[in-house]
Amino acid sequence: MTNLAANLVATAREHGDRTAVKLDDHVLTYAQLHANAAAVAGDLRERGVGPGDRVGLVLPNVPAFPVLFYGAMLAGAVVVPMNPLLKTREVGYYIRDSGMSLVYGWDRSGDVVPEAARAAGIPGVVVPATGPTELDGRPAPDPVDRADGDTAVILYTSGTTGEPKGAELTHHNLDSNARATAETLIEVTAADVVMGCLPLFHVFGLTCGLNAAVVAGSALTLVPRFDPATALRVVARDRVTVFEGVPTMYAAMLHSPDAGGADTSSLRTCITGGAAMPVEVLKGFEARFGCTVLEGYGLSETAPVVSFNHPGHPRKPGTIGFAVRGCQMRVVDDEGHDVPDGEPGEIAVRGENVMKGYWNRPEATAAAIPDGWFRTGDIATRDAEGYHTIVDRKKDLIIRGGYNVYPREVEEVLYEHPAVAEAAVIGFAHAELGEEIGAAVALKPGARADAAELTDFVRQRLAAYKYPRAVWLVDALPKGPTGKILRRDVRPPVTSGPT
């Protein structure tokens, strides 16, 4: 394998007349996607952007994204995807940190990209949803030669501690994981229609949505901004066979007033990742929509998929399955030694999907990959059959009076309550215990429950030191760009106290 864009060239040759990307009435065949990307590659070459140069994309899920992404790949450039909701200051940081040569923005996102580009002294090109229209130079349809280990994408992590770091994902990282996804996990073919709800600027949507679809010749139908009614409508309209989402998307669709009348008969396989899927939501979604939901696990640094409940194997709801093709997993202690099955430890990963390192941060890279195994920061257990269950993020561990409490376990119980739509469990400072347990809860539409009822519900199902002493109701929980609940942004009300 040389250049990731070789997949597009091959698929355009074999399935040129088939739909590649769709947004409502706007359709690009694979031949058109390749031709438009080739025009972008030629324009980049005319601008002096060549192999290894960084190119920014600040776009939602619109056809311009795959056109520009694969155009940059054809040119041998390195793509730096960014959330279109970022502000000028944030875009400016990514531009400076990556040493970007050019950045593309959406023409409906205001002046953020032009202002950030101007301040950095680089071109800022604004394009419509359908893709760029004013291009110079001759089209460049053939991919520039790249080595497996050359960087293809710099994907910035969320920056929960310190400034965001750019994970360097290589052409081989992305190709290997996209192929493993397409061939062994979602098992897609050219006859499939994949739902593009997940942001393409996020590695889950980029690999499992766009790149996997291109490998297989599937159609990718885009939704620029997720809402459950739109998602259900698009599933019915485009006869979607594969849905990919994070748990909050599944919960929103399940509890949507439109769920009852939605035609979801085309759905075959649904996959979830990005956060732990509550078992009650998984079961409810399958029962309502008549499909199979498979849970997996991954990170930005692993391109992203690490493990999965593989089709054709026994499925264990609540687990993240076992390692995908091209990847190895271990569960280790703080010294890097394997822990016994059933004991919690940190997931360590090695394989074709693991990043080459953090951009210009050798010390951070060495800390994350101290011995050839990437430390994920996620705590899990492994059973005798090799299935892994996430206990929680290492840094989300709550230590209450000397006892370890993992928020995921408490949240799972809250999700079992019939009135609960979303829950986030956090630790907050306590003078005597060090930390106390709190829970922010959003109820299902029309449902009723109070803090005391929810507290008692958990207290009856978990050990005394685990139940939340403070429960407060919210309209909605804070979420990141993929819809993942952000525990770190949950704050207890000032008046919160034991219920």
Side-chain angles (χ1 to χ4, degrees), residues 67 93 99 103 144 158 164 234 264 279 344 383 414 458 460 466:
V67 168
Y93 168 78
V103 58
V144 169
S158 57
V234 172
T264 59
V279 175
D383 68 17
L414 283 165
V458 179
Q460 292 180 32
K466 293 183 179 180

Side-chain angles (χ1 to χ4, degrees), residues 255-281:
H255 302 139
S256 170
D258 302 288
D263 178 7
T264 59
S265 57
S266 61
L267 281 179
R268 182 188 80 243
T269 301
C270 300
I271 67 171
T272 178
M277 170 67 106
V279 175
E280 293 301 311
V281 173

